[in-house]
Every structure is written in C-alpha cells, then in structure tokens.
Amino acid sequence: MKKYVIEREIPGVGAMSAEDLAAASAKSNEALARLGPTIQWQHSYVAGDRTFCVYLADSEDDIRRHAEESGFPANRIIEVSTMIDPTTA
C-alpha cells in the first residue's frame, strides 16, 4: 500500500468537541469497514478548519471512495514519497 496525506476542508472542525470528533471518527470507521482491506486510516491532525489525515491505500481512487462513503471531503490527496525525521541526519 502507498501512504497518502489528505487535506480536508471542514468548517468548524477545530472547534468540535471530543464527542463530535468521536462521532466523526466512528463515521469514518464505518466507511472504512465497508470499503475493505485496501485502505487504512492511520491518524489525523486537526488544525483550524482543516484536517490532515494520513492513510495507507492501494490508490487515490480508494481515498476518493472513502470520501464519498464517509461524506468527508478530500480536497487534496498527496502521495507520500518518503519520510524523514531527526534520525535521518
């Protein structure tokens, strides 16, 4: 599977309560369960009116199908080519 970062523009997401975020996560998980093993959600960062989600998927089409199934937009889908961290130095 390839790794992707998905930018989602969701007005007000940064002000959502823990309960609202839990409900959104459950909705996403339900869509993932329907789509099968070709896509996995690793984690997301919430910043202002956006989320930046890290997914493993076979293709961008899998990401788009998840967006349609879950109702959460996928405004930008970027394939990760490599990862670096402080130990890279």
Side-chain angles (χ1 to χ4, degrees), residues 5-74:
V5 175
I6 298 95
E7 181 179 356
R8 304 180 191 279
E9 294 179 22
I10 305 172
V13 70
M16 285 183 166
S17 67
E19 293 81 15
D20 291 337
L21 291 171
S25 295
K27 187 175 181 181
S28 178
N29 287 338
E30 290 168 6
L32 289 167
R34 287 190 300 272
L35 292 170
T38 63
I39 182 170
Q40 298 173 11
W41 175 27
Q42 292 196 310
H43 58 271
S44 296
Y45 300 96
V46 179
D49 287 338
R50 288 180 167 75
T51 62
F52 299 89
C53 307
V54 179
Y55 276 70
L56 297 177
D58 284 346
S59 70
E60 284 189 32
D61 288 339
D62 293 327
I63 303 294
R64 286 188 194 91
R65 277 193 295 279
H66 176 265
E68 291 170 13
E69 286 275 330
S70 67
F72 299 117

